[in-house]
Amino acid sequence: MYTTRGQRARRSLLALPVAAVLAVGTACAGAHNSSGDGSDARNAAAVRGLPADQWDDLHRSATTESPSTFQGPTASVTPPKNLKVAAITCLSILSGCVSPATGAEQAAKKLGWQVRVFDGGGTPDKQNAQMLNALSWGADIILNIAIDPNAVQDGLRAAQRADVPVGAGSNGLDTPNPPVKPPSGKLGYAFDVAPDYAALGQKAAEWVRADSEGKANIVVYSDKEFPSVLALQKGLLAGLDKCDDCTVQPLRYFTGNQVAQVLPQSVVSYLRSNPDVDYVFIPYDPAAAAVVPAIAQAGLGNKVRLISVLGSQENLNFVRKGQVQVADAAYDNLYMGYAMLDQTSRLLTKKPLAQPHGENLPYVVLDKTNVPEAGSDWHASFDYPGDFDALWK
Amino acid sequence: MTDKTMSHVDAPASAPTPRERLSPGRVLSWVSGYETLVLLALLVVAFSLASDRFLTAANLQNVALVQAVTATMTLAVLMPLIIGEFDLSVGYLIGFLVMLEAVVAQHTSNPVLIMAAGPVVGLLVGLVNGLLTVYFKISSFIATLGVGILLSGGTQGISNGKVIFENIPSSLTSLASDDFLGLSLAVWLTLLLALILFYILEHTPQGRFWYAIGGSERVAYLAGVRTNRMRMTAFAAAGLIVGIAANFALAQAGSANPGYGPELLLPAYAAAFLGVATYRPGYYNVLGALVAIILLAIGFNGLSLLGVPFWVQPIFNGSVLIIAVLVARQETRQVRTG
């Protein structure tokens, strides 16, 4: 086959960047491996374990809700009348995004308020647009569910101009989590109702320790985009650090837009090249939902046990069937809806917000022993709707 | 490549038969080229009747406020579309450029450098897309997809997977926060950009050459158009415009997220495709694209105010796109057959 000089030159031109990328990639891989060995040694936690008869207690502790009784606000509040509340979900096809809005709708019926749910569409552009739509609708307050305030500065500025407060849920930016103040010149939320993510991470670690009887070899995946994930990761690693014979592999990171394609392949490749790893932690359910089928299809379903966070119904179904994912660190999203409206009442009546701002939202680790029935979200066992109702006089 | 341009010019004239007079296309002929405007007017009336919040200055202002990025991205994808090519890198490219500007902002407080980074690098990426497509003869579909995927890796790399929100200068965010006559500066700049592109496309040889290449590259070449160079400039212009959109995006959000960008690709193409139903039916054009953006934005806003379930909006957008393009195709056929 003949090639012209021009064709050869073009091929050479194309080959250059490819070669450069491969060279850089190889160099990076070498650097990563060498530093990875060091991290391995640093992260391989070998601390004291528990006597064999105490694994059941540890498992019971992880799978028991915290708190087990209503620990929300104690000071009553007189809610304002006829409020219009706009609840903007991060993405309305995700049950974890919608459930708090459902809780808010349920609570609003008792208060005689109107709640309108807007679909944030999963992108900052849509979320900003929906905040503006909420203002046009005449909302008295906007509640953003799992929406990063840094991504919706446009909407926050418009709300500030219209003198409409913006609260939030599920971001992990506010107490009991370490409060994250907006950087100078940026706007944030009046409150953010969320569980204690670090404590939830500790609970997940307890479950892993109990399930593996202190011998887990775990890889923890994380996503730096979300403060809630970072808080949870801190608690998880602190909890795993108490495990004598557990091995914690170096952290592996991904981003939200890699969930569908890159993450599943990456996890499977990692598990193939690290056959001793028997536990995988994925920081949120939609990502786990993408990883579970990939692990199963790769024939690794019987070798690894996956744990994730949120309590989405799809993932609870995996747990129910024992299909790769065997546990889910969940929190009560319906409670979150009630708590967001409670904080709204306090904010708009100029009363101090309930402390902590997360209002002690209940959480638990769900596995086959306590997973709710198919089609149901997990809810705390106590009658918190009644407790909130009693507060709203 | 299609022969739209040439067939438009050479179309023979003939009187319509009685059957043709009753065809749906003929029935619609009295609004020929302006169906989307009619639909827009109908939507405005319907939403105004259904919600007393719709037809207010504040609401219309809100509708315009967030369209700057989508509109600019639509203008970007118009350029390759006009020459009969696709640029699938634009979604990844804006994500990369927003992140690049945020990273630059961590190292300098000079707003000019920060705001120039996006357009300059966008232009270079556009040239690379053009080079791969025009000189290396790789299908633009594949070449730009490859460049886009490569850029997504670059975005992850320079951000280290983190959201960057520190040190974004207020002179940049003021593009979104400062307003003039009720609209943000970003919206005015988008309109200015649209005006410039409209002028270039409709009233300069450059624009006519691009349309000629889109109609038939071979004929354009034989007519003396330097087709390779012109195709390169179309890709470069797309990259440059995405760089401008990156400034608006960073100004609006005030932060750069490593996951941002890819979701903007399809809305931009949807608006560009929908635009062929307006002003110059069958042709990608600036005015049509702007009407399409307003139509989709009004639909999104009105349906949100009515509180329809979340799954209704994609159905609305998809239906409008399909119907409008079918109407445009019908009109194009009529032009061809007379």
Side-chain angles (χ1 to χ4, degrees):
Chain A
M1 188 177 149
Y2 296 101
T3 54
T4 65
R5 200 166 57 177
Q7 282 172 323
R8 281 198 297 274
R10 277 177 211 161
R11 283 180 192 171
S12 309
L13 263 175
L14 273 179
L16 277 174
V18 173
V21 167
L22 288 176
V24 170
T26 312
C28 288
H32 177 76
N33 285 341
S34 59
S35 67
D37 292 339
S39 305
D40 255 334
R42 281 195 300 277
N43 282 329
V47 197
R48 287 167 300 285
L50 292 172
D53 57 351
Q54 291 191 23
W55 295 124
D56 284 347
D57 292 342
L58 196 59
H59 178 264
R60 199 171 302 116
S61 164
T63 53
T64 301
E65 63 192 343
S66 296
S68 54
T69 57
F70 184 69
Q71 302 287 318
T74 49
S76 60
V77 60
T78 306
K81 304 276 183 209
N82 303 321
L83 278 193
K84 289 175 85 173
V85 179
I88 302 180
T89 65
C90 45
L91 175 60
S92 284
I93 56 171
L94 299 180
S95 63
C97 287
V98 178
S99 298
T102 308
E105 280 178 315
Q106 193 175 308
K109 281 182 190 158
K110 297 182 177 176
L111 296 167
W113 295 0
Q114 191 183 350
V115 172
R116 170 73 60 84
V117 180
F118 294 80
D119 176 15
T123 67
D125 293 303
K126 281 244 170 86
Q127 289 157 0
N128 266 311
Q130 291 291 36
M131 288 183 74
L132 298 174
N133 287 339
L135 292 171
S136 294
W137 174 64
D140 297 301
I141 185 164
I142 296 173
L143 300 174
N144 283 356
I145 298 162
I147 294 175
D148 182 357
N150 292 311
V152 289
Q153 288 295 308
D154 226 15
L156 287 170
R157 277 192 294 265
Q160 189 186 44
R161 280 197 298 271
D163 202 21
V164 172
V166 183
S170 215
N171 289 289
L173 300 167
D174 206 347
T175 56
N177 299 289
V180 178
K181 297 280 174 210
S184 126
K186 297 276 170 59
L187 299 170
Y189 295 136
F191 57 81
D192 178 41
V193 174
D196 184 338
Y197 283 106
L200 184 61
Q202 291 259 12
K203 225 175 189 20
E206 278 180 7
W207 185 89
V208 171
R209 287 168 62 201
D211 190 63
S212 66
E213 298 193 343
K215 295 183 182 67
N217 185 338
I218 186 168
V219 58
V220 176
Y221 279 79
S222 185
D223 184 340
K224 294 179 194 167
E225 295 165 288
F226 305 108
S228 57
V229 170
L230 296 176
L232 188 119
Q233 172 193 310
K234 199 173 172 186
L236 177 79
L237 294 178
L240 290 172
D241 204 37
K242 295 176 187 163
C243 184
D244 218 355
D245 296 326
C246 292
T247 304
V248 183
Q249 299 292 336
L251 281 169
R252 295 183 66 80
Y253 291 100
F254 65 98
T255 55
N257 67 346
Q258 294 180 323
V259 162
Q261 295 296 325
V262 177
L263 180 67
Q265 293 166 23
S266 164
V267 173
V268 167
S269 304
Y270 182 86
L271 292 174
R272 284 201 194 287
S273 52
N274 294 273
D276 294 337
V277 169
D278 51 7
Y279 283 83
V280 178
F281 180 87
I282 302 287
Y284 44 85
D285 277 348
V291 168
V292 165
I295 292 178
Q297 282 163 21
L300 298 167
N302 295 327
K303 295 181 70 180
V304 291
R305 294 165 76 74
L306 186 144
I307 178 167
S308 179
V309 183
L310 268 187
S312 297
Q313 289 190 17
E314 183 183 5
N315 297 73
L316 295 187
N317 211 30
F318 293 140
V319 173
R320 217 170 278 120
K321 292 193 285 187
Q323 187 185 343
V324 183
Q325 181 167 355
V326 287
D328 201 307
Y331 45 90
D332 191 335
N333 281 314
L334 208 65
Y335 185 108
M336 187 185 291
Y338 275 83
M340 286 195 297
L341 290 207
D342 181 74
Q343 295 288 29
T344 296
S345 290
R346 295 169 197 279
L347 182 74
L348 296 184
T349 53
K350 303 197 188 314
K351 294 273 167 37
L353 294 176
Q355 293 290 348
H357 291 177
E359 299 203 350
N360 289 319
L361 199 151
Y363 55 90
V364 72
V365 174
L366 299 170
D367 63 10
K368 64 182 179 196
T369 63
N370 62 345
V371 65
E373 286 177 7
S376 307
D377 287 333
W378 175 77
H379 300 304
S381 59
F382 50 89
D383 176 30
Y384 58 83
D387 292 315
F388 277 111
D389 205 22
L391 286 172
W392 299 336
K393 298 293 181 192
Chain B
M1 297 297 160
T2 65
D3 286 333
K4 284 181 290 190
T5 310
M6 300 313 293
S7 59
H8 178 75
V9 173
D10 298 339
S14 63
T17 64
R19 194 176 168 186
E20 282 172 339
R21 277 192 208 106
L22 293 173
S23 70
R26 290 307 257 186
V27 173
L28 287 170
S29 63
W30 61 280
V31 289
S32 178
Y34 298 96
E35 290 88 348
T36 42
L37 273 176
V38 173
L39 179 59
L40 179 59
L42 288 174
L43 281 180
V44 169
V45 172
F47 288 140
S48 303
L49 293 173
S51 168
D52 58 352
R53 297 274 176 175
F54 177 76
L55 205 60
T56 62
N59 182 46
L60 298 178
Q61 217 172 325
N62 285 343
V63 172
L65 199 64
V66 286
Q67 297 310 316
V69 177
T70 312
T72 315
M73 289 290 283
T74 305
L75 295 175
V77 301
L78 271 184
M79 300 295 110
L81 282 175
I82 287 171
I83 61 162
E85 303 283 3
F86 279 92
D87 186 346
L88 299 185
S89 70
V90 291
Y92 296 110
L93 178 58
I94 189 170
F96 177 75
L97 296 177
V98 168
M99 187 55 74
L100 178 73
E101 291 189 344
V103 170
V104 171
Q106 307 310 303
H107 296 94
T108 176
S109 55
N110 185 337
V112 176
L113 276 181
I114 297 166
M115 284 192 258
V120 169
V121 176
L123 178 73
L124 292 174
V125 172
L127 284 170
V128 170
N129 281 333
L131 196 71
L132 292 172
T133 304
V134 175
Y135 290 102
F136 289 102
K137 311 286 183 202
I138 302 174
S139 154
S140 60
F141 228 82
I142 299 165
T144 57
L145 185 63
V147 168
I149 293 169
L150 194 151
L151 288 169
S152 72
T155 309
Q156 309 293 337
I158 61 174
S159 66
N160 196 21
K162 286 190 290 193
V163 178
I164 296 179
F165 49 82
E166 301 92 346
N167 303 330
I168 309 297
S170 57
S171 47
L172 176 57
T173 53
S174 66
L175 287 177
S177 58
D178 290 1
D179 63 12
F180 173 69
L181 297 177
L183 294 178
S184 71
L185 294 180
V187 174
W188 286 113
L189 289 172
T190 304
L191 290 173
L192 178 66
L193 179 66
L195 196 67
I196 293 168
L197 284 179
F198 175 79
Y199 178 78
I200 292 172
L201 290 172
E202 305 285 335
H203 299 289
T204 67
Q206 174 93 13
R208 282 191 282 274
F209 293 160
W210 276 336
Y211 275 114
I213 292 170
S216 169
E217 186 184 356
R218 178 89 183 137
V219 171
Y221 178 76
L222 292 174
V225 177
R226 302 174 82 165
T227 52
N228 282 355
R229 181 179 292 184
M230 294 304 299
R231 289 170 69 208
M232 283 284 290
T233 58
F235 280 104
L240 176 69
I241 297 168
V242 172
I244 295 168
N247 277 316
F248 299 159
L250 187 56
Q252 279 186 355
S255 65
N257 186 309
Y260 180 76
E263 72 278 5
L264 295 173
L265 178 75
L266 291 182
Y269 272 100
F273 293 146
L274 185 51
V276 303
T278 305
Y279 181 60
R280 290 181 67 187
Y283 294 84
Y284 299 104
N285 66 87
V286 172
L287 286 186
L290 287 182
V291 171
I293 289 157
I294 295 168
L295 178 71
L296 294 174
I298 289 287
F300 178 69
N301 171 258
L303 293 172
S304 296
L305 289 183
L306 295 183
V308 299
F310 66 93
W311 47 266
V312 173
Q313 291 187 335
I315 290 177
F316 167 81
N317 288 354
S319 307
V320 167
L321 177 61
I322 290 168
I323 293 167
V325 172
L326 280 175
V327 170
R329 196 176 67 166
Q330 179 70 20
E331 288 186 353
T332 310
R333 278 185 184 159
Q334 281 175 5
V335 168
R336 287 181 184 179
T337 58

